[in-house]
Amino acid sequence: SSSMRSSLAGVSGATPTEEMNGAGNLMDFLDEPFPDVGTYEDFHTIDWLREKSRDTDRHRKITSKSKESIWELIKSLLDAWSGWVVMLLIGLLSGTLAGVIDLAVDWMTDLKEGVCLSAFWYSHEQCCWTSNETTFDDRDKCPQWQKWAELMTGHAEGAGAYVLNYFLYILWALLFSFLAVSLVRVFAPYACGSGIPEIKTILSGFIIRGYLGKWTLLIKTVTLVLAVSSGLSLGKEGPLVHVACCCGNLFCSLFSKYSKNEGKRREVLSAAAAAGVSVAFGAPIGGVLFSLEEVSYYFPLKTLWRSFFAALVAAFTLRSINPFGNSRLVLFYVEYHTPWYMAELVPFILLGVFGGLWGTLFIRANIAWCRRRKTTQLGKYPVLEVIAVTGITAVLAYPNPYTRRSTSELISELFNDCGALESSQLCDYINNPNMSRPVDDIPDRPAGPGVYTALWQLALALIFKIVITIFTFGMKIPSGLFIPSMAVGAIAGRIVGIAVEQMAYHHHDWIIFKNWCRPGADCVTPGLYAMVGAAACLGGVTRMTVSLVVIMFELTGGLEYIVPLMAAAVTSKWVADAFGKEGIYESHIQLNGYPYLDVRDEFTHRTLATDVMRPRRNDPPLAVLTQDSTTVEDVETLIKDTDYNGFPVVVSRESERLIGFVQRRDLTLAIKNARQKQDGVVSSSVVYFTEDAPQLPASNPQPLKLRRILNLSPFTVTDHTPMETVVDIFRKLGLRQCLVTRSGGFTLMIRHIVGSETPILSKHTGIVAMK
């Protein structure tokens, strides 16, 4: 109101024009009088408005200085370029780490089964590449690669060799997982899990110190290799986003522009998340869209360009390392030669429904299990839990060839189209001896015994993956969810694909097949169904749509299959949303009690700001400071007796007209600093927030001026503002607190606080008002 503005202007000594320009240099923070002012405590929320205004002031200062000399001009150019330099460094480091992780996982996964005699650091595939005795039909067999039983006993076949290989497979798996969980527990407890729920929370403005630290980066990289190699049902894609964000945080500390401004730091972390997905899937554009759609809270256009650049550099670095040896960024590259037909949309949509149902089942079961882990004795024994799950996984996985291999290889085989040169069981079709056709266009054929065996094994693998993933995700080791979800969908999709293919072959005279499937034609591609199923299941669990489809076609190179992928992704989202709006990451955020205001949530309560304010009628009065009559002792007592994050400053107790707002941390630091460095400041010294010192008797000790730490333009609303507007303001401006006024006078305050149980904004994020 106008009375409010004039009273504010009158008290603070700022003219109304200055008011409008940001309260006469909004913060007065630039010439920082003491270190750490304007920083935040651990597990607190940042004030986006304050961070933005500080950066604007910093930028204005650099621009005005750059006109003074050549040196200042060079400094301003370096400052402008620092953002791109950080992106370049993030791309290089995350691409290198991803390449190293890929190579190490490849080698250690094969180590569970055998060893290369010519060079023990070669994986199975690399070992047989270098061999001269390898034939095309037996490309997996070469004398240089020996399984453990053959190496120890000299017998490659037989029951004894099988049992010994089985035993050593389990032993290696247990060793890898034990090492992973021990390293996480001892050195970096934050390195466990996927990391995406926490990164979403951090990007929304929450502070978790150490979550993106150097130790976390180092331990997460090492333990990720161990965890994936142990054969557990988890992927490396989610944790790679965490690793890339750790790289981003590491390089932020090199530039004061980012290290001293939490808002700017989060822009860099958004771009780092894009680089993480770029190297995880070899999908640079998918990475940018993933960051935009799934993890970022504040994503200005400038961040979009920088994310694009970081993702490009990261993908380029990974490509130059070439970890898969196929000159591709991805393991699952496929090339299908047949188009898809309209009638096939029906099975694609059914796969979408399956994906949505699996997503719902997984989220509910996994959250229930994680809640049980939190509330019972189970949570006290993380090492035992990891070892038990690894043991069960290894014992059940080894007998089935589809679960024994790494999940990435399994998905790769399921996506593959059966060419004339494929030796997989899935391609054991009965060939027509009279067939003479081009190699890449093999007509539909009846399934042979190998295909039926494969179908049984895949059905068992599907049940195994569905169950074991529920218990694996959320353990105290790095665990991603993308690959296991895709595996479930790919298995289901391949089974459906083979069923449709055989129906089309045996019943090509049915009306649905008549128009597009003539005898002797290659109508149905089972690998395409696997790809669509993988997208559907991943969409059901994470609720991604646009970024998911882009990641899938970048991942596989299947550009003409965008429509089937879109149909499956949208269907799976609709079906999953019918049972609950939250994806797996939002559910984990709620379970852990992080303060996260989801932009997509709808606020349904019809209340006003006055209905949720603290204090209520019977509560003690609001804790406030006066502009020139509070003593140092009063301030210290107030800080000791309350746990509020900040205090409104008013003209006097009688006239509660608002001057500004001061943060608790800044107050504490200012008083501590003044006691150490300023002579004459004692407990009875008066603290004043005005420009000029108050008129005090000569006998009084020296007063303490704290105007520097006062925010002269705190965000205010009136008491009749609807709550949905207040919630919107919190979301869109990223406020930390909001003051409420009534007819120009200051009455109460709404605060965004951590861990409050007030069920206003969400289950774990409250807004509190105090009088």
Side-chain angles (χ1 to χ4, degrees):
S1 66
S2 55
S3 66
M4 172 93 181
R5 173 167 291 171
S6 58
S7 72
L8 258 170
V11 173
S12 65
T15 64
T17 332
E18 273 181 303
E19 263 306 304
M20 294 173 79
N21 290 342
N25 192 353
L26 191 66
M27 292 302 190
D28 254 358
F29 260 147
L30 274 166
D31 313 302
E32 290 184 359
F34 42 87
D36 284 344
V37 71
T39 57
Y40 303 93
E41 303 265 354
D42 201 2
F43 296 110
H44 278 229
T45 315
I46 70 167
D47 190 330
W48 286 90
L49 270 184
R50 179 163 86 154
E51 298 302 304
K52 199 164 178 9
S53 62
R54 285 168 70 184
D55 187 60
T56 311
D57 288 345
R58 187 195 66 83
H59 196 259
R60 200 178 291 134
K61 194 174 178 183
I62 285 175
T63 313
S64 62
K65 270 189 167 180
S66 67
K67 294 166 186 164
E68 292 170 12
S69 68
I70 294 288
W71 174 237
E72 290 295 340
L73 180 66
I74 292 168
K75 270 165 76 176
S76 76
L77 288 172
L78 288 173
D79 180 76
W81 268 93
S82 59
W84 296 102
V85 173
V86 169
M87 293 307 137
L88 180 72
L89 294 171
I90 290 170
L92 290 170
L93 184 58
S94 53
T96 308
L97 287 175
V100 169
I101 288 170
D102 283 338
L103 291 167
V105 164
D106 210 20
W107 173 64
M108 285 174 70
T109 305
D110 288 343
L111 193 63
K112 296 206 300 283
E113 292 189 38
V115 68
C116 186
L117 299 180
S118 55
F120 74 90
W121 57 87
Y122 278 171
S123 68
H124 189 165
E125 199 176 8
Q126 289 166 328
C127 192
C128 289
W129 274 349
T130 53
S131 165
N132 298 327
E133 290 91 355
T134 312
T135 60
F136 190 82
D137 290 336
D138 291 334
R139 68 198 87 160
D140 289 341
K141 296 191 177 113
C142 55
Q144 282 85 351
W145 177 266
Q146 288 198 348
K147 293 199 167 182
W148 291 110
E150 193 183 351
L151 191 67
M152 291 174 178
T153 62
H155 300 294
E157 306 297 327
Y162 183 84
V163 169
L164 184 57
N165 280 329
Y166 197 164
F167 174 71
L168 284 163
Y169 180 91
I170 296 168
L171 206 64
W172 278 110
L174 290 172
L175 174 68
F176 291 159
S177 63
F178 174 71
L179 271 174
V181 71
S182 306
L183 285 170
V184 166
R185 206 161 167 226
V186 175
F187 294 106
Y190 281 152
C192 68
S194 148
I196 293 181
E198 284 78 6
I199 281 162
K200 278 188 81 153
T201 312
I202 288 170
L203 289 179
S204 77
F206 192 54
I207 287 180
I208 310 178
R209 296 216 186 284
Y211 198 82
L212 300 174
K214 299 182 195 72
W215 270 109
T216 310
L217 172 63
L218 179 66
I219 298 298
K220 186 115 186 181
T221 310
V222 174
T223 53
L224 181 54
V225 172
L226 290 164
V228 176
S229 307
S230 67
L232 282 162
S233 182
L234 46 84
K236 61 181 186 303
E237 279 61 20
L240 271 173
V241 174
H242 186 182
V243 165
C245 285
C246 289
C247 298
N249 196 47
L250 181 72
F251 293 124
C252 276
S253 56
L254 303 178
F255 299 90
S256 62
K257 173 180 175 177
Y258 297 110
S259 60
K260 290 185 178 172
N261 190 304
E262 293 292 345
K264 295 293 285 178
R265 186 196 298 261
R266 274 152 184 73
E267 289 179 27
V268 171
L269 296 179
S270 285
V277 174
S278 170
V279 290
F281 288 117
I285 298 171
V288 176
L289 289 172
F290 174 81
S291 180
L292 176 62
E293 182 183 0
E294 190 60 27
V295 294
S296 294
Y297 199 80
Y298 171 66
F299 202 85
L301 198 59
K302 182 171 63 180
T303 307
L304 183 72
W305 303 331
R306 288 189 175 165
S307 305
F308 191 74
F309 179 64
L312 163 77
V313 175
F316 181 76
T317 309
L318 184 64
R319 170 68 186 77
S320 57
I321 293 172
N322 194 10
F324 303 115
N326 59 359
S327 300
R328 307 251 182 238
L329 283 175
V330 290
L331 194 55
F332 319 132
Y333 192 81
V334 290
E335 284 178 285
Y336 303 135
H337 300 286
T338 47
W340 59 276
Y341 300 92
M342 282 305 289
E344 288 184 283
L345 275 179
V346 176
F348 292 153
I349 286 168
L350 287 175
L351 282 171
V353 173
F354 170 77
L357 293 172
W358 142 252
T360 306
L361 165 81
F362 176 78
I363 291 169
R364 294 206 174 161
N366 181 252
I367 292 297
W369 180 250
C370 289
R371 188 170 285 122
R372 191 180 178 82
R373 184 189 287 130
K374 266 180 166 341
T375 52
T376 59
Q377 294 290 316
L378 183 68
K380 293 181 182 169
Y381 306 106
V383 179
L384 274 177
E385 186 196 2
V386 170
I387 285 175
V389 172
T390 310
I392 293 165
T393 307
V395 168
L396 295 176
Y398 189 81
N400 186 338
Y402 290 108
T403 48
R404 185 188 312 173
R405 67 186 60 187
S406 76
T407 320
S408 301
E409 283 176 31
L410 167 64
I411 296 171
S412 183
E413 182 165 330
L414 292 168
F415 281 6
N416 246 334
D417 192 13
C418 283
L421 308 173
E422 289 296 331
S423 58
S424 151
Q425 250 197 330
L426 278 171
C427 295
D428 182 22
Y429 290 93
I430 297 164
N431 283 318
N432 178 357
N434 307 326
M435 179 183 80
S436 59
R437 312 211 62 170
V439 168
D440 62 350
D441 187 24
I442 297 173
D444 285 351
R445 300 159 290 169
V451 174
Y452 290 116
T453 314
L455 282 179
W456 271 112
Q457 290 173 343
L458 282 176
L460 291 171
L462 179 64
I463 296 162
F464 169 69
K465 285 278 179 201
I466 284 176
V467 175
I468 206 74
T469 308
I470 289 167
F471 299 101
T472 309
F473 187 69
M475 291 197 304
K476 294 288 175 228
I477 47 171
S479 53
L481 192 57
F482 282 51
I483 288 287
S485 305
M486 283 172 66
V488 167
I491 295 170
R494 187 77 188 209
I495 292 170
V496 171
I498 292 173
V500 173
E501 181 190 47
Q502 292 306 305
M503 272 172 63
Y505 177 78
H506 291 293
H507 304 283
H508 49 75
D509 50 349
W510 284 9
I511 193 155
I512 49 168
F513 299 123
K514 218 170 195 171
N515 300 333
W516 54 278
C517 196
R518 290 179 303 285
D522 182 11
C523 318
V524 180
T525 311
L528 170 60
Y529 286 76
M531 189 167 123
V532 170
C537 282
L538 190 48
V541 173
T542 60
R543 308 297 159 88
M544 297 189 295
T545 48
V546 184
S547 52
L548 171 69
V549 172
V550 174
I551 285 172
M552 284 307 293
F553 78 69
E554 279 192 275
L555 183 65
T556 55
L559 270 173
E560 55 184 292
Y561 305 111
I562 291 177
V563 174
L565 288 172
M566 286 170 79
V570 168
T571 313
S572 81
K573 185 170 168 60
W574 278 342
V575 171
D577 279 353
F579 293 98
K581 292 280 184 213
E582 282 104 11
I584 186 72
Y585 301 132
E586 289 78 17
S587 304
H588 271 274
I589 286 172
Q590 282 196 5
L591 179 72
N592 293 328
Y594 297 132
Y596 181 74
L597 270 182
D598 199 338
V599 182
R600 291 170 285 200
D601 279 356
E602 288 172 22
F603 186 79
T604 50
H605 306 275
R606 298 192 61 179
T607 48
L608 301 175
T610 189
D611 300 325
V612 295
M613 62 203 190
R614 299 278 190 276
R616 300 283 158 81
R617 282 190 175 80
N618 306 324
D619 292 354
L622 178 65
V624 295
L625 299 170
T626 57
Q627 66 173 2
D628 56 6
S629 57
T630 317
T631 63
V632 170
E633 190 177 14
D634 294 341
V635 175
E636 287 178 330
T637 309
L638 187 64
I639 288 170
K640 199 166 80 182
D641 295 347
T642 63
D643 60 352
Y644 306 130
N645 283 340
F647 306 97
V649 178
V650 293
V651 175
S652 65
R653 301 268 173 203
E654 297 73 42
S655 146
E656 285 208 332
R657 288 203 174 272
L658 181 64
I659 301 296
F661 188 81
V662 64
Q663 298 284 355
R664 174 199 188 90
R665 180 173 167 81
D666 293 350
L667 260 182
T668 315
L669 287 166
I671 290 174
K672 184 179 166 192
N673 194 66
R675 280 189 181 279
Q676 285 172 354
K677 297 188 178 169
Q678 210 171 317
D679 294 336
V681 173
V682 291
S683 295
S684 55
S685 299
V686 171
V687 172
Y688 68 98
F689 294 94
T690 50
E691 276 292 354
D692 306 313
Q695 299 296 315
L696 297 170
S699 57
N700 273 33
Q702 183 185 346
L704 173 62
K705 180 179 181 180
L706 290 184
R707 189 175 174 79
R708 276 186 187 283
I709 63 169
L710 181 68
N711 177 1
L712 290 167
S713 56
F715 203 92
T716 57
V717 294
T718 66
D719 54 341
H720 284 288
T721 309
M723 266 314 292
E724 57 203 89
T725 309
V726 176
V727 172
D728 243 15
I729 290 169
F730 267 94
R731 277 185 191 145
K732 289 178 179 160
L733 295 178
L735 295 185
R736 202 172 182 213
Q737 64 278 313
C738 179
L739 312 185
V740 183
T741 59
R742 183 182 294 140
S743 60
F746 176 69
T747 51
L748 43 92
M749 166 180 164
I750 290 180
R751 263 182 72 220
H752 184 128
I753 67 163
V754 175
S756 147
E757 292 304 314
T758 317
I760 305 295
L761 299 188
S762 76
K763 286 176 189 157
H764 299 286
T765 309
I767 37 183
V768 173
M770 305 171 292
K771 181 156 184 179

